[in-house]
Amino acid sequence: MRQLIKDSVVQLAEQLQLPEKVIHQDDLPWVPFDEGEMNCYFKPLRFDLSTGTWTYLFRIKPNKRLTRHRHTGGSVIGYHLKGQWRYEGRDWIATPGTFIFEPPGDIHTLITGDEEVETLFILGGALQYFDEKNQIIGQDDVYTVLKKYRDYCAEHGISIREELIY
């Protein structure tokens, strides 16, 4: 059989490859995502500043209705782990094991069921929050979420895990 990749290319790849990132979720804090009542929390897993993408575990209290929002600049990938949630006006319910793909620009209101929910999300771009008159009242992106994480750690004497930024 003919060699498809030369040994020198394999050796170069091995020399230049980036190290793995292995972080256990138990080593990370649950950070409040919202202000006031604090209905949502996240555990940051990755902040990719080159693409504006962030990955986190997202936890929401039972029987909550989140602010209507739009995802801009990138798709949202989710894998649901615990509890049940849905989007207002949609005919599906996320239960454990549900994979979710949201195209850029999708606008929705997330509603939780009678138990706490937990979902792994990979988001790109920004989240824009709307009021009842469809006016943008707030926004989050990779930088605001990173700042929430850093501020929470600083306030609670928790070491900031800089290796989450890559």
Short mmCIF file of all heavy atoms in Angstrom, two decimals, residues 24-34 38-45 55-61 81-82 116-121 145 148-153 156 158:
data_model
loop_
_atom_site.label_atom_id
_atom_site.label_comp_id
_atom_site.label_asym_id
_atom_site.label_seq_id
_atom_site.Cartn_x
_atom_site.Cartn_y
_atom_site.Cartn_z
N HIS A 24 -12.55 18.97 34.70
CA HIS A 24 -13.75 18.30 35.23
C HIS A 24 -14.71 19.36 35.74
O HIS A 24 -14.31 20.32 36.41
CB HIS A 24 -13.36 17.33 36.35
CG HIS A 24 -14.46 16.38 36.67
ND1 HIS A 24 -15.52 16.71 37.49
CD2 HIS A 24 -14.69 15.12 36.23
CE1 HIS A 24 -16.34 15.69 37.56
NE2 HIS A 24 -15.86 14.71 36.81
N GLN A 25 -15.98 19.18 35.44
CA GLN A 25 -16.98 20.18 35.83
C GLN A 25 -17.05 20.42 37.34
O GLN A 25 -17.37 21.52 37.77
CB GLN A 25 -18.35 19.80 35.29
CG GLN A 25 -18.98 18.62 35.98
CD GLN A 25 -20.49 18.64 35.93
OE1 GLN A 25 -21.09 19.69 35.73
NE2 GLN A 25 -21.09 17.49 36.12
N ASP A 26 -16.71 19.42 38.14
CA ASP A 26 -16.74 19.61 39.59
C ASP A 26 -15.71 20.63 40.07
O ASP A 26 -15.80 21.14 41.18
CB ASP A 26 -16.52 18.28 40.32
CG ASP A 26 -17.70 17.32 40.17
OD1 ASP A 26 -18.79 17.78 39.75
OD2 ASP A 26 -17.51 16.12 40.43
N ASP A 27 -14.72 20.92 39.22
CA ASP A 27 -13.68 21.88 39.58
C ASP A 27 -14.07 23.32 39.24
O ASP A 27 -13.27 24.23 39.45
CB ASP A 27 -12.38 21.54 38.85
CG ASP A 27 -11.84 20.17 39.25
OD1 ASP A 27 -12.14 19.72 40.38
OD2 ASP A 27 -11.13 19.56 38.43
N LEU A 28 -15.27 23.53 38.72
CA LEU A 28 -15.72 24.85 38.29
C LEU A 28 -16.95 25.29 39.08
O LEU A 28 -17.80 24.47 39.41
CB LEU A 28 -16.05 24.83 36.80
CG LEU A 28 -14.89 24.43 35.88
CD1 LEU A 28 -15.40 24.13 34.48
CD2 LEU A 28 -13.84 25.52 35.86
N PRO A 29 -17.07 26.58 39.34
CA PRO A 29 -18.23 27.07 40.09
C PRO A 29 -19.46 27.25 39.20
O PRO A 29 -19.34 27.42 37.98
CB PRO A 29 -17.75 28.44 40.59
CG PRO A 29 -16.84 28.92 39.51
CD PRO A 29 -16.13 27.67 39.03
N TRP A 30 -20.63 27.22 39.83
CA TRP A 30 -21.85 27.65 39.15
C TRP A 30 -21.92 29.17 39.32
O TRP A 30 -22.00 29.68 40.42
CB TRP A 30 -23.09 27.01 39.77
CG TRP A 30 -23.30 25.59 39.33
CD1 TRP A 30 -23.09 24.47 40.08
CD2 TRP A 30 -23.75 25.15 38.06
NE1 TRP A 30 -23.38 23.35 39.34
CE2 TRP A 30 -23.80 23.74 38.09
CE3 TRP A 30 -24.12 25.80 36.88
CZ2 TRP A 30 -24.21 22.97 37.00
CZ3 TRP A 30 -24.52 25.02 35.79
CH2 TRP A 30 -24.56 23.63 35.86
N VAL A 31 -21.87 29.87 38.21
CA VAL A 31 -21.82 31.33 38.19
C VAL A 31 -23.21 31.87 37.84
O VAL A 31 -23.81 31.42 36.86
CB VAL A 31 -20.79 31.84 37.15
CG1 VAL A 31 -20.76 33.35 37.09
CG2 VAL A 31 -19.42 31.25 37.45
N PRO A 32 -23.74 32.83 38.60
CA PRO A 32 -25.03 33.42 38.23
C PRO A 32 -24.95 34.05 36.84
O PRO A 32 -24.00 34.78 36.54
CB PRO A 32 -25.27 34.49 39.29
CG PRO A 32 -24.43 34.07 40.45
CD PRO A 32 -23.22 33.39 39.85
N PHE A 33 -25.93 33.73 36.00
CA PHE A 33 -25.96 34.30 34.66
C PHE A 33 -26.77 35.58 34.61
O PHE A 33 -26.43 36.52 33.92
CB PHE A 33 -26.53 33.29 33.66
CG PHE A 33 -26.33 33.70 32.22
CD1 PHE A 33 -25.13 33.46 31.59
CD2 PHE A 33 -27.34 34.34 31.51
CE1 PHE A 33 -24.92 33.86 30.28
CE2 PHE A 33 -27.15 34.74 30.20
CZ PHE A 33 -25.93 34.50 29.58
N ASP A 34 -27.86 35.59 35.35
CA ASP A 34 -28.74 36.76 35.35
C ASP A 34 -28.59 37.53 36.66
O ASP A 34 -27.95 37.07 37.59
CB ASP A 34 -30.20 36.36 35.11
CG ASP A 34 -30.67 35.24 36.05
OD1 ASP A 34 -29.86 34.69 36.83
OD2 ASP A 34 -31.85 34.91 36.00
N MET A 38 -31.76 35.69 40.15
CA MET A 38 -30.80 34.64 39.83
C MET A 38 -31.49 33.31 39.56
O MET A 38 -31.50 32.40 40.38
CB MET A 38 -29.74 34.51 40.93
CG MET A 38 -28.85 35.70 41.04
SD MET A 38 -27.45 35.38 42.10
CE MET A 38 -27.10 37.03 42.67
N ASN A 39 -32.08 33.23 38.38
CA ASN A 39 -32.77 32.02 37.93
C ASN A 39 -31.87 31.09 37.14
O ASN A 39 -32.18 29.93 36.97
CB ASN A 39 -33.97 32.41 37.05
CG ASN A 39 -34.99 33.20 37.81
OD1 ASN A 39 -35.36 32.82 38.91
ND2 ASN A 39 -35.45 34.29 37.23
N CYS A 40 -30.76 31.62 36.61
CA CYS A 40 -29.88 30.86 35.73
C CYS A 40 -28.44 30.90 36.23
O CYS A 40 -27.98 31.92 36.74
CB CYS A 40 -29.89 31.47 34.33
SG CYS A 40 -31.50 31.75 33.65
N TYR A 41 -27.75 29.80 36.02
CA TYR A 41 -26.35 29.68 36.41
C TYR A 41 -25.60 28.97 35.29
O TYR A 41 -26.20 28.22 34.52
CB TYR A 41 -26.21 28.86 37.70
CG TYR A 41 -26.90 29.50 38.86
CD1 TYR A 41 -28.27 29.32 39.08
CD2 TYR A 41 -26.19 30.30 39.76
CE1 TYR A 41 -28.90 29.93 40.15
CE2 TYR A 41 -26.82 30.90 40.83
CZ TYR A 41 -28.18 30.72 41.02
OH TYR A 41 -28.80 31.33 42.08
N PHE A 42 -24.29 29.21 35.20
CA PHE A 42 -23.49 28.51 34.20
C PHE A 42 -22.17 28.06 34.78
O PHE A 42 -21.65 28.66 35.73
CB PHE A 42 -23.27 29.38 32.95
CG PHE A 42 -22.34 30.55 33.15
CD1 PHE A 42 -21.01 30.45 32.78
CD2 PHE A 42 -22.79 31.75 33.67
CE1 PHE A 42 -20.14 31.53 32.95
CE2 PHE A 42 -21.94 32.83 33.83
CZ PHE A 42 -20.61 32.72 33.47
N LYS A 43 -21.65 26.99 34.20
CA LYS A 43 -20.28 26.52 34.47
C LYS A 43 -19.55 26.69 33.16
O LYS A 43 -19.84 26.01 32.18
CB LYS A 43 -20.26 25.04 34.87
CG LYS A 43 -20.61 24.80 36.30
CD LYS A 43 -20.27 23.38 36.68
CE LYS A 43 -20.68 23.15 38.12
NZ LYS A 43 -19.67 22.47 38.88
N PRO A 44 -18.57 27.60 33.12
CA PRO A 44 -17.86 27.82 31.86
C PRO A 44 -16.93 26.65 31.55
O PRO A 44 -16.24 26.15 32.43
CB PRO A 44 -17.06 29.09 32.14
CG PRO A 44 -16.82 29.06 33.61
CD PRO A 44 -18.05 28.43 34.21
N LEU A 45 -16.95 26.23 30.30
CA LEU A 45 -16.06 25.15 29.86
C LEU A 45 -15.04 25.64 28.85
O LEU A 45 -13.94 25.09 28.77
CB LEU A 45 -16.88 24.00 29.27
CG LEU A 45 -17.91 23.39 30.23
CD1 LEU A 45 -18.78 22.39 29.50
CD2 LEU A 45 -17.23 22.76 31.42
N THR A 55 -18.65 27.86 25.45
CA THR A 55 -19.27 26.59 25.79
C THR A 55 -19.49 26.57 27.29
O THR A 55 -18.59 26.91 28.05
CB THR A 55 -18.35 25.41 25.39
OG1 THR A 55 -18.05 25.53 23.99
CG2 THR A 55 -19.00 24.08 25.68
N TYR A 56 -20.71 26.19 27.69
CA TYR A 56 -20.97 26.11 29.13
C TYR A 56 -22.11 25.16 29.44
O TYR A 56 -22.90 24.80 28.58
CB TYR A 56 -21.23 27.46 29.74
CG TYR A 56 -22.41 28.29 29.24
CD1 TYR A 56 -23.53 27.75 28.65
CD2 TYR A 56 -22.39 29.67 29.41
CE1 TYR A 56 -24.59 28.54 28.23
CE2 TYR A 56 -23.45 30.47 28.99
CZ TYR A 56 -24.54 29.88 28.41
OH TYR A 56 -25.59 30.67 28.00
N LEU A 57 -22.10 24.70 30.70
CA LEU A 57 -23.27 24.02 31.24
C LEU A 57 -24.19 25.11 31.74
O LEU A 57 -23.74 26.05 32.42
CB LEU A 57 -22.87 23.09 32.38
CG LEU A 57 -22.10 21.84 31.99
CD1 LEU A 57 -21.59 21.13 33.24
CD2 LEU A 57 -22.96 20.91 31.16
N PHE A 58 -25.45 25.02 31.42
CA PHE A 58 -26.42 26.05 31.79
C PHE A 58 -27.49 25.41 32.66
O PHE A 58 -28.07 24.39 32.29
CB PHE A 58 -27.04 26.65 30.52
CG PHE A 58 -27.72 27.96 30.70
CD1 PHE A 58 -27.07 29.04 31.28
CD2 PHE A 58 -29.01 28.15 30.25
CE1 PHE A 58 -27.69 30.27 31.42
CE2 PHE A 58 -29.65 29.37 30.39
CZ PHE A 58 -29.00 30.43 30.98
N ARG A 59 -27.73 26.00 33.81
CA ARG A 59 -28.70 25.48 34.78
C ARG A 59 -29.77 26.55 35.00
O ARG A 59 -29.44 27.72 35.21
CB ARG A 59 -28.02 25.14 36.09
CG ARG A 59 -28.96 24.61 37.16
CD ARG A 59 -28.22 24.31 38.43
NE ARG A 59 -27.55 23.01 38.31
CZ ARG A 59 -26.72 22.52 39.22
NH1 ARG A 59 -26.43 23.22 40.30
NH2 ARG A 59 -26.16 21.34 39.04
N ILE A 60 -31.03 26.12 34.97
CA ILE A 60 -32.15 27.04 35.18
C ILE A 60 -33.08 26.44 36.22
O ILE A 60 -33.38 25.24 36.19
CB ILE A 60 -32.94 27.29 33.88
CG1 ILE A 60 -32.00 27.65 32.73
CG2 ILE A 60 -33.97 28.39 34.07
CD1 ILE A 60 -32.65 27.61 31.36
N LYS A 61 -33.55 27.28 37.11
CA LYS A 61 -34.47 26.83 38.15
C LYS A 61 -35.80 26.37 37.55
O LYS A 61 -36.14 26.74 36.43
CB LYS A 61 -34.71 27.96 39.15
CG LYS A 61 -33.49 28.30 39.99
CD LYS A 61 -33.82 29.40 40.97
CE LYS A 61 -32.63 29.71 41.86
NZ LYS A 61 -32.93 30.78 42.82
N LEU A 81 -29.42 17.63 29.42
CA LEU A 81 -28.96 16.64 30.40
C LEU A 81 -29.96 16.32 31.50
O LEU A 81 -30.02 15.19 31.98
CB LEU A 81 -27.66 17.14 31.06
CG LEU A 81 -26.51 17.41 30.09
CD1 LEU A 81 -25.42 18.21 30.78
CD2 LEU A 81 -26.00 16.11 29.52
N LYS A 82 -30.75 17.32 31.93
CA LYS A 82 -31.56 17.12 33.13
C LYS A 82 -32.82 17.98 33.07
O LYS A 82 -32.76 19.14 32.67
CB LYS A 82 -30.72 17.52 34.35
CG LYS A 82 -31.39 17.47 35.68
CD LYS A 82 -30.42 17.91 36.76
CE LYS A 82 -31.14 18.25 38.04
NZ LYS A 82 -30.26 18.86 39.03
N GLU A 116 -35.50 21.54 38.03
CA GLU A 116 -34.33 22.25 37.54
C GLU A 116 -33.85 21.59 36.25
O GLU A 116 -33.93 20.38 36.10
CB GLU A 116 -33.25 22.17 38.62
CG GLU A 116 -32.00 22.94 38.31
CD GLU A 116 -31.05 22.88 39.49
OE1 GLU A 116 -30.45 21.81 39.72
OE2 GLU A 116 -30.94 23.90 40.19
N VAL A 117 -33.36 22.41 35.32
CA VAL A 117 -32.85 21.88 34.06
C VAL A 117 -31.37 22.17 33.93
O VAL A 117 -30.84 23.11 34.53
CB VAL A 117 -33.61 22.44 32.83
CG1 VAL A 117 -35.09 22.14 32.91
CG2 VAL A 117 -33.38 23.92 32.66
N GLU A 118 -30.71 21.33 33.13
CA GLU A 118 -29.29 21.51 32.86
C GLU A 118 -29.03 21.08 31.42
O GLU A 118 -29.44 20.00 31.00
CB GLU A 118 -28.48 20.65 33.81
CG GLU A 118 -27.10 21.13 34.07
CD GLU A 118 -26.47 20.36 35.22
OE1 GLU A 118 -26.90 20.54 36.37
OE2 GLU A 118 -25.52 19.60 34.95
N THR A 119 -28.36 21.96 30.66
CA THR A 119 -28.06 21.72 29.25
C THR A 119 -26.65 22.17 28.96
O THR A 119 -26.19 23.18 29.48
CB THR A 119 -29.05 22.49 28.35
OG1 THR A 119 -30.39 22.13 28.68
CG2 THR A 119 -28.82 22.20 26.88
N LEU A 120 -25.96 21.41 28.12
CA LEU A 120 -24.67 21.83 27.60
C LEU A 120 -24.94 22.65 26.34
O LEU A 120 -25.63 22.19 25.43
CB LEU A 120 -23.82 20.61 27.23
CG LEU A 120 -22.52 20.91 26.48
CD1 LEU A 120 -21.52 21.61 27.38
CD2 LEU A 120 -21.93 19.64 25.91
N PHE A 121 -24.42 23.89 26.30
CA PHE A 121 -24.61 24.76 25.15
C PHE A 121 -23.27 25.19 24.58
O PHE A 121 -22.32 25.48 25.34
CB PHE A 121 -25.38 26.03 25.52
CG PHE A 121 -26.87 25.86 25.61
CD1 PHE A 121 -27.52 26.07 26.81
CD2 PHE A 121 -27.62 25.50 24.50
CE1 PHE A 121 -28.89 25.93 26.91
CE2 PHE A 121 -29.00 25.36 24.58
CZ PHE A 121 -29.63 25.58 25.79
N VAL A 145 -19.85 37.15 29.17
CA VAL A 145 -19.92 35.90 29.94
C VAL A 145 -18.58 35.63 30.63
O VAL A 145 -18.54 35.23 31.80
CB VAL A 145 -20.37 34.73 29.04
CG1 VAL A 145 -20.37 33.42 29.81
CG2 VAL A 145 -21.75 35.00 28.46
N LYS A 148 -18.47 37.91 33.62
CA LYS A 148 -19.30 37.38 34.71
C LYS A 148 -18.53 36.31 35.47
O LYS A 148 -18.53 36.29 36.71
CB LYS A 148 -20.60 36.79 34.17
CG LYS A 148 -21.58 37.80 33.68
CD LYS A 148 -22.81 37.11 33.08
CE LYS A 148 -23.69 38.13 32.38
NZ LYS A 148 -24.98 37.59 31.98
N TYR A 149 -17.88 35.42 34.74
CA TYR A 149 -17.09 34.35 35.37
C TYR A 149 -15.94 34.93 36.21
O TYR A 149 -15.78 34.60 37.38
CB TYR A 149 -16.55 33.39 34.31
CG TYR A 149 -15.47 32.48 34.80
CD1 TYR A 149 -15.74 31.51 35.77
CD2 TYR A 149 -14.17 32.57 34.32
CE1 TYR A 149 -14.74 30.67 36.24
CE2 TYR A 149 -13.17 31.73 34.78
CZ TYR A 149 -13.46 30.79 35.74
OH TYR A 149 -12.47 29.96 36.20
N ARG A 150 -15.16 35.82 35.62
CA ARG A 150 -14.02 36.40 36.33
C ARG A 150 -14.46 37.21 37.55
O ARG A 150 -13.85 37.12 38.62
CB ARG A 150 -13.20 37.28 35.39
CG ARG A 150 -12.36 36.48 34.43
CD ARG A 150 -11.50 37.37 33.59
NE ARG A 150 -10.50 36.58 32.89
CZ ARG A 150 -9.63 37.08 32.06
NH1 ARG A 150 -9.61 38.39 31.81
NH2 ARG A 150 -8.76 36.31 31.46
N ASP A 151 -15.51 38.01 37.40
CA ASP A 151 -16.01 38.81 38.52
C ASP A 151 -16.49 37.92 39.66
O ASP A 151 -16.21 38.18 40.83
CB ASP A 151 -17.14 39.74 38.08
CG ASP A 151 -16.66 40.89 37.20
OD1 ASP A 151 -15.44 41.08 37.05
OD2 ASP A 151 -17.53 41.58 36.64
N TYR A 152 -17.21 36.85 39.32
CA TYR A 152 -17.71 35.94 40.34
C TYR A 152 -16.55 35.28 41.10
O TYR A 152 -16.55 35.21 42.33
CB TYR A 152 -18.61 34.87 39.70
CG TYR A 152 -19.19 33.92 40.70
CD1 TYR A 152 -20.35 34.25 41.41
CD2 TYR A 152 -18.58 32.70 40.98
CE1 TYR A 152 -20.88 33.38 42.35
CE2 TYR A 152 -19.11 31.82 41.91
CZ TYR A 152 -20.26 32.17 42.60
OH TYR A 152 -20.79 31.31 43.53
N CYS A 153 -15.55 34.82 40.34
CA CYS A 153 -14.38 34.19 40.98
C CYS A 153 -13.67 35.17 41.90
O CYS A 153 -13.32 34.81 43.03
CB CYS A 153 -13.43 33.65 39.92
SG CYS A 153 -14.05 32.18 39.06
N HIS A 156 -15.58 35.79 45.13
CA HIS A 156 -15.70 34.64 46.03
C HIS A 156 -14.37 33.96 46.33
O HIS A 156 -14.35 32.86 46.90
CB HIS A 156 -16.70 33.63 45.45
CG HIS A 156 -18.10 34.14 45.45
ND1 HIS A 156 -18.61 34.88 44.41
CD2 HIS A 156 -19.07 34.06 46.38
CE1 HIS A 156 -19.85 35.20 44.69
NE2 HIS A 156 -20.16 34.74 45.89
N ILE A 158 -12.19 32.57 44.35
CA ILE A 158 -12.00 31.36 43.56
C ILE A 158 -10.94 31.65 42.50
O ILE A 158 -10.97 32.70 41.85
CB ILE A 158 -13.32 30.93 42.88
CG1 ILE A 158 -14.38 30.64 43.94
CG2 ILE A 158 -13.11 29.75 41.96
CD1 ILE A 158 -15.78 30.48 43.38
#
